[in-house]
Amino acid sequence: MRVLVGDIGGTKTGIGVAETDGLAVTLRQVRRYPSADFDSLESLIIQYLHETGQVPARDCHLGAFAVAGPVEGRHCRTTNLPWEIDADLIEHILEFRAVGLLNDLEAVAWGVAALGPDDVAEIHPGGAPQQPAVGNACVVAAGTGLGEAGLYWDGTRHHPFATEGGHTDFAPLDEREFALLGFLQQRFGRVSWERVASGMGIGNLYDFLLTWHQAATPDWLAAELAAGDTAAAVAAAAGRCPICRETMDLFFSLFGRESGNLALKHLALGGVYLGGGIAPKNLEALRASRFLEGFFAKGRMEPHMRRMPVRVILRAETPLLGAARYMGLR
């Protein structure tokens, strides 16, 4: 079965053709585009088809698209893009036999089973290493935003499902974090975990810490920040800039806390998977950070937290793999 698959993110959109036979998925002709360069998903797909010479009615009859935003039925208004996505419209315009639409983190959850040993990096082994982890699992992805999904264990296999948990309320713990909450409330009103534990969150934390320390951005860093990718610039400058280093330390601690919150709510003894772009790009910094300290710090529940394996997803195409598996197995 051949499926045109897409991973629609707030910053980048990946499109490719998947050949799938149940669990096994092979991806071909994967290309990535700046999402903001297009006014709709349909126009982006048409551009891809033009560049690759794919013809839906001839080369693939199915489409499956993972979208960063809440999917209701066959429709989604994207969270960090001004797009309205309608599966029926795409099906009609591009003459597909069927089009599936799912949340991007649900797609990552579908893709977990297609990952090999080299596609993940272990951060914490969890329970007895000789025994396979069974039970519910979850996915937490810090990228442009903060995505979260679950995998319900029915005793035989996992069933992925979407959530919008990244938009739940941020909870501060100490004086600095209460000051952070007040700073962000002035900027946004309501403050969610996405505002502090994502790419946009890194920018927010950096701005707050400049104010907290009454500091200024170094001249050498200002030009890099002006280029637009604040999260990447702050992460890259952590070795030279004390405020950037503190920003990343705080980010990893908060990311660990919220990952632990989700894992505890799902009792994810089957594993916690960290997706998105930030964790794999900063893997050694993550290992050396207070991420696990924040993850484990759940009071009386800490022994259960330590039984949960924690792994970073290294394969960027995981949402595309998951979209193909969703279309093939639903």
Side-chain angles (χ1 to χ4, degrees):
M1 185 177 69
R2 303 187 75 193
V3 185
L4 185 71
V5 291
D7 174 24
I8 294 86
T11 303
K12 294 284 184 69
T13 290
I15 301 284
V17 175
E19 296 180 359
T20 177
D21 180 13
L23 183 61
V25 180
T26 302
L27 294 174
R28 306 187 188 282
Q29 293 187 301
V30 176
R31 301 196 179 190
R32 297 193 178 276
Y33 302 88
S35 302
D37 287 358
F38 299 84
D39 59 8
S40 68
L41 176 57
E42 300 90 81
S43 63
L44 191 155
I45 295 172
I46 290 170
Q47 176 72 21
Y48 172 84
L49 295 173
H50 174 75
E51 291 179 1
T52 60
Q54 298 288 321
V55 179
R58 182 192 70 201
D59 299 316
C60 51
H61 303 281
L62 305 173
F65 302 99
V67 188
V71 175
E72 297 184 10
R74 295 174 57 75
H75 180 270
C76 176
R77 182 192 297 269
T78 54
T79 303
N80 294 313
L81 279 174
W83 290 2
E84 294 269 356
I85 300 177
D86 189 309
D88 292 329
L89 180 63
I90 295 173
E91 199 172 287
H92 173 73
I93 291 175
L94 299 175
E95 299 181 343
F96 281 111
R97 190 170 70 213
V99 167
L101 199 62
L102 69 164
N103 174 265
D104 60 338
L105 261 291
E106 182 185 356
V108 174
W110 275 100
V112 163
L115 298 176
D118 295 335
D119 295 327
V120 296
E122 188 172 83
I123 300 300
H124 176 66
Q130 292 80 16
Q131 300 176 1
V134 295
N136 298 338
C138 66
V139 179
V140 191
T144 303
L146 180 67
E148 301 181 356
L151 296 97
Y152 162 67
W153 177 254
D154 70 359
T156 303
R157 71 181 185 94
H158 283 114
H159 298 265
F161 60 91
T163 83
E164 288 297 329
H167 296 286
T168 56
D169 299 319
F170 165 62
L173 291 184
D174 57 26
E175 180 185 1
R176 183 178 62 168
E177 290 182 12
F178 274 100
L180 169 63
L181 176 62
F183 177 85
L184 294 180
Q185 282 175 329
Q186 290 184 345
R187 178 175 288 187
F188 301 112
R190 179 179 176 273
V191 181
S192 68
W193 277 101
E194 182 172 82
R195 298 295 189 186
V196 299
S198 65
M200 70 173 73
I202 290 174
N204 290 333
L205 296 178
Y206 177 77
D207 290 345
F208 161 71
L209 289 171
L210 285 178
T211 301
W212 176 255
H213 292 292
Q214 298 183 339
T217 297
D219 292 340
W220 59 268
L221 180 57
E224 297 179 30
L225 293 175
D229 193 342
T230 300
V234 170
R240 298 176 59 191
C241 168
I243 297 293
C244 294
R245 182 164 55 252
E246 185 176 353
T247 296
M248 296 307 297
D249 289 344
L250 181 55
F251 164 78
F252 283 125
S253 177
L254 295 173
F255 184 35
R257 289 228 312 269
E258 175 57 6
S259 298
N261 288 341
L262 182 69
L264 185 58
K265 289 173 182 177
H266 289 153
L267 196 59
L269 298 175
V272 179
Y273 293 86
L274 308 181
I278 296 175
K281 290 177 183 176
N282 299 275
L283 185 57
E284 294 312 310
L286 172 64
R287 291 185 189 278
S289 75
R290 297 173 57 200
F291 174 90
L292 284 177
E293 179 182 329
F295 182 86
F296 293 143
K298 303 301 177 201
R300 292 173 292 172
M301 294 292 106
E302 182 170 339
H304 297 286
M305 304 304 296
R306 291 185 177 275
R307 290 174 57 199
M308 300 177 187
V310 182
R311 304 180 180 100
V312 174
I313 297 173
L314 302 178
R315 189 167 182 184
E317 297 88 0
T318 302
L320 299 179
L321 298 174
R325 291 193 66 241
Y326 165 81
M327 207 63 187
L329 296 177
R330 68 176 183 159

